[in-house]
Amino acid sequence: MKSRTIVALGALAALLLVLAFFQTPVMRTARLATWSAVTALVGKAGGLGDVEPAPEVYTQINRLQAENIRLKAQLRDYVRLQTQLGSPAFESYQPVAARIVGRPIDTFQSQVVVNKGIRDGVSIGSPAVIHGSVLIGFITEVNERSAVVTSLLHPQTNLTAETVPTDSEKPAARGLLQARHFTSLHLTTIPKDIELIEGESVITTAREGAVPAGLTIGSLTNILSLEHEAYQEARVVLPYDIDRLDAVVLLVAP
């Protein structure tokens, strides 16, 4: 019995040593080299050519990353200017006008159907706006010729937003936008050292690949700041009634 135990422990120790060996830098390099050779072989066999990106691609990526940092530094002033002018946040988004052809499709009236879909470039996550830059929701389902717009009042809403202070010297209050009970929208997790004023506009902040910054959401009301709470919050009043909407504009990313 003891000999069997010794043999089993020896086999286990050998297995662990082999596995540890494959995690060494030398073997890791060998695995990467093998993978590169296999992908190159598959690429040639399939007529795809060399699948390794050209050096110029890495240079372009680095340049774009640096440019992105610079643009983010300028974003705040740009967003406020665009909001005051009432124009779209980014001209790079393609506006697609859509008519509401079905409502409601859920019990709480937080979703509507529009007559634009995949053939028009619409995709999951495309923002839906009115008046050029007032956000009402996002595309959550898409078909060839139609799509479902889910409003901000749906509990799945979860995005960052910030206020537009009336005083340019005052810092913006940034927090998390959340819907409650399909009936109200709240800006939460706002630091207590930021002063909130009822009536201040609330806009979207940049969220990579999904939401252009500067889209109007609503305005602050019912500010709540309790002493025993780490953060403060406020309700956000929407500047429209979704039940009265007949058409929206879908912002399609380039």
Side-chain angles (χ1 to χ4, degrees):
M1 183 66 180
K2 292 183 178 180
S3 60
R4 291 184 178 179
T5 303
I6 293 174
V7 171
L9 291 176
L12 179 59
L15 178 61
L16 291 176
L17 287 174
V18 171
L19 293 176
F21 174 70
F22 277 103
Q23 297 302 317
T24 60
V26 174
M27 291 305 298
R28 190 178 299 113
T29 302
R31 291 200 310 273
L32 292 175
T34 303
W35 176 251
S36 298
V38 171
T39 54
L41 182 62
V42 172
K44 290 180 181 179
L48 301 177
D50 191 359
V51 296
E52 179 69 19
E56 295 79 10
V57 174
Y58 294 106
T59 301
Q60 185 178 18
I61 290 174
N62 291 333
R63 181 181 62 80
L64 291 174
Q65 287 177 338
E67 183 72 359
N68 188 45
I69 294 173
R70 183 185 68 81
L71 291 174
K72 283 184 177 180
Q74 297 177 351
L75 181 61
R76 183 173 177 179
D77 290 338
Y78 173 77
V79 166
R80 293 187 179 185
L81 177 61
Q82 291 292 71
T83 301
Q84 291 169 7
L85 293 175
S87 57
F90 289 116
E91 290 78 8
S92 61
Y93 283 77
Q94 178 66 35
V96 176
R99 186 162 51 90
I100 295 176
V101 294
R103 74 168 89 211
I105 64 171
D106 65 337
T107 306
F108 298 97
Q109 302 184 6
S110 63
Q111 295 177 313
V112 295
V113 179
V114 295
N115 65 342
K116 300 295 181 180
I118 296 174
R119 66 170 184 170
D120 306 292
V122 178
S123 60
I124 298 292
S126 294
V129 302
I130 58 173
H131 307 314
S133 60
V134 177
L135 180 66
I136 70 163
F138 300 94
I139 296 296
T140 53
E141 297 179 32
V142 62
N143 299 303
E144 186 69 21
R145 298 174 180 271
S146 64
V148 174
V149 177
T150 298
S151 78
L152 294 177
L153 290 175
H154 195 281
Q156 73 180 21
T157 296
N158 192 3
L159 68 152
T160 56
E162 64 180 11
T163 61
V164 182
T166 53
D167 183 358
S168 60
E169 300 297 324
K170 176 187 170 185
R174 178 172 294 187
L176 188 63
L177 193 70
Q178 296 179 316
R180 295 177 182 170
H181 312 298
F182 293 92
T183 57
S184 62
L185 204 59
H186 297 258
L187 188 62
T188 66
T189 64
I190 305 170
K192 281 196 169 183
D193 60 344
I194 301 295
E195 181 186 7
L196 298 179
I197 299 177
E198 290 200 10
E200 285 184 334
S201 296
V202 178
I203 61 174
T204 59
T205 58
R207 190 173 71 172
E208 194 171 319
V211 184
L215 297 181
T216 300
I217 297 173
S219 57
L220 293 182
T221 186
N222 300 125
I223 297 170
L224 181 62
S225 180
L226 301 177
E227 292 184 359
H228 63 279
E229 295 289 345
Y231 298 97
Q232 58 183 330
E233 67 176 68
R235 184 182 174 190
V236 179
V237 178
L238 302 177
Y240 58 86
D241 182 354
I242 192 171
D243 293 329
R244 296 179 178 270
L245 299 181
D246 296 314
V248 298
V249 172
L250 308 177
L251 300 183
V252 177

